[in-house]
Amino acid sequence: MKRWFNLALVMLAAALPLVAPAQTLERIRSSHTLTLGYLPKRPPFSASEGEAAVGYGIDLCQKVADQLRIQPGLAQMRVRFVPLSEDKALETVGAGGVDLLCSPMVETLKARQSLDFSLPVYTAGLGVVVRKDAPFFLVRSLNGEVDKSGPTWRATPNRGLADYTFAVPANTRVETWVREKLRLLKVLVNVQTVAGPAEGVDAVAAGKADAFFYDQMALRSLVEHSAGKANLMVLSRRFEFAPVALVMPRGDEDFRLQVDTALSELYRSDAFVPLYSKYFGAPSELDQNLFKVYSRP
């Protein structure tokens, strides 16, 4: 009997992490505080402005706070924003150091082993940065504005694309994607590898490369903090899609439901387009349709 009792205790202990997720809402009720983490150098998603946090992700988290305040016992809830470092942010979220990360991240299967994600809040993807004085036909080609008689980039070689240099980060999926796309479309350009994303942006700013391909969200942040930002622009086109979402500790469906409810109601309201436009310009028809898909009835 004692042996079976000890075995039952072991099985119960092993099961506890699966049946007893963190009670985020109860913790917020107890402390009267919603703790929101953010990355201070991720504009337009999140940034520090004096002692305040600003950005698209910050505004979304404020909508989550509004949703929580209508829940029982949370009407007087305070909101506290905590700046986090890039290398420790996800670890801090996973450990429960903050209730929600307002700087959106790409949801991956690996990340889902220790974290949960909200509904998508933005559709990121592979983007490109060029100089503002870049040749018209180069910008037109990269934007996909080519003759309908051929696939993207197919009509551009005769307009001198071979004279241009595209920079890519060495030994990455971005380099693989760009080289394969150029091969398939039979477009001949000079492909130059750089050590990292900052070097790629600097190469374009200095005129050593005509375009640099990288994650569009990261490009926006890199350009914002580049010494040559006045002469650079990140094109709106996304070559591959990667939805990003707010991040929270894993295993608390009640809290996640409140987050997703706030986002869904915002996406279906008249307030969403002005909020989105404030940071990214007017949403395209594709973006508006994607947010309809992201929301839940």
Side-chain angles (χ1 to χ4, degrees), residues 95-157:
V98 297
D99 300 315
L100 187 65
L101 179 63
C102 302
S103 304
M105 300 285 186
V106 175
E107 180 177 357
T108 65
L109 292 176
K110 182 177 181 181
R112 283 176 54 189
Q113 293 175 10
S114 58
L115 301 164
D116 269 339
F117 293 80
S118 70
L119 299 176
V121 300
Y122 179 79
T123 309
L126 183 61
V128 64
V129 60
V130 298
R131 289 188 301 279
K132 289 181 179 179
D133 62 355
F136 170 79
F137 289 120
L138 173 62
V139 175
R140 185 171 182 264
S141 173
L142 292 174
N143 271 329
E145 300 168 1
V146 297
D147 298 334
K148 294 183 180 180
S149 59
T152 301
W153 292 356
R154 179 68 65 89
T156 59

Side-chain angles (χ1 to χ4, degrees), residues 15-233:
L16 279 176
L18 300 178
V19 299
Q23 297 300 313
T24 308
L25 294 177
E26 291 306 315
R27 185 170 66 247
I28 295 171
R29 285 191 182 95
S30 177
S31 65
H32 305 290
T33 303
L34 172 65
T35 303
L36 300 171
Y38 74 100
L39 300 176
K41 295 183 178 180
R42 280 286 187 90
F45 299 93
S46 58
S48 291
E49 193 171 274
E51 296 184 358
V54 297
Y56 175 68
I58 304 302
D59 286 356
L60 295 181
C61 280
Q62 292 285 15
K63 296 295 183 182
V64 172
D66 292 341
Q67 169 67 24
L68 291 176
R69 286 193 179 101
I70 66 176
Q71 304 309 306
L74 294 177
Q76 303 303 315
M77 181 192 74
R78 300 182 297 270
V79 175
R80 181 169 69 100
F81 284 96
V82 179
L84 302 175
S85 63
E86 293 270 353
D87 58 334
K88 295 292 184 180
L90 296 183
E91 179 181 333
T92 301
V93 177
V98 297
D99 300 315
L100 187 65
L101 179 63
C102 302
S103 304
M105 300 285 186
V106 175
E107 180 177 357
T108 65
L109 292 176
K110 182 177 181 181
R112 283 176 54 189
Q113 293 175 10
S114 58
L115 301 164
D116 269 339
F117 293 80
S118 70
L119 299 176
V121 300
Y122 179 79
T123 309
L126 183 61
V128 64
V129 60
V130 298
R131 289 188 301 279
K132 289 181 179 179
D133 62 355
F136 170 79
F137 289 120
L138 173 62
V139 175
R140 185 171 182 264
S141 173
L142 292 174
N143 271 329
E145 300 168 1
V146 297
D147 298 334
K148 294 183 180 180
S149 59
T152 301
W153 292 356
R154 179 68 65 89
T156 59
N158 292 335
R159 289 175 177 169
L161 268 188
D163 296 329
Y164 296 117
T165 297
F166 290 173
V168 294
N171 304 313
T172 63
R173 66 174 182 83
V174 177
E175 178 185 3
T176 301
W177 185 91
V178 170
R179 290 187 184 278
E180 180 65 8
K181 183 65 68 174
L182 292 171
R183 183 188 69 80
L184 290 174
L185 298 177
K186 297 180 173 60
V187 176
L188 299 176
V189 300
N190 301 310
V191 178
Q192 169 186 312
T193 60
V194 293
E199 289 79 3
V201 171
D202 290 343
V204 175
K208 296 179 180 178
D210 299 290
F212 173 62
F213 291 83
Y214 198 60
D215 175 74
Q216 191 184 68
M217 273 205 321
L219 280 179
R220 292 181 186 276
S221 178
L222 288 164
V223 168
E224 180 65 25
H225 293 90
S226 169
K229 69 177 183 179
N231 299 317
L232 297 172
M233 61 179 177

Side-chain angles (χ1 to χ4, degrees), residues 268-281:
R268 297 196 303 271
S269 74
D270 293 336
F272 179 65
V273 170
L275 189 155
Y276 185 96
S277 301
K278 176 181 176 182
Y279 296 101
F280 307 107

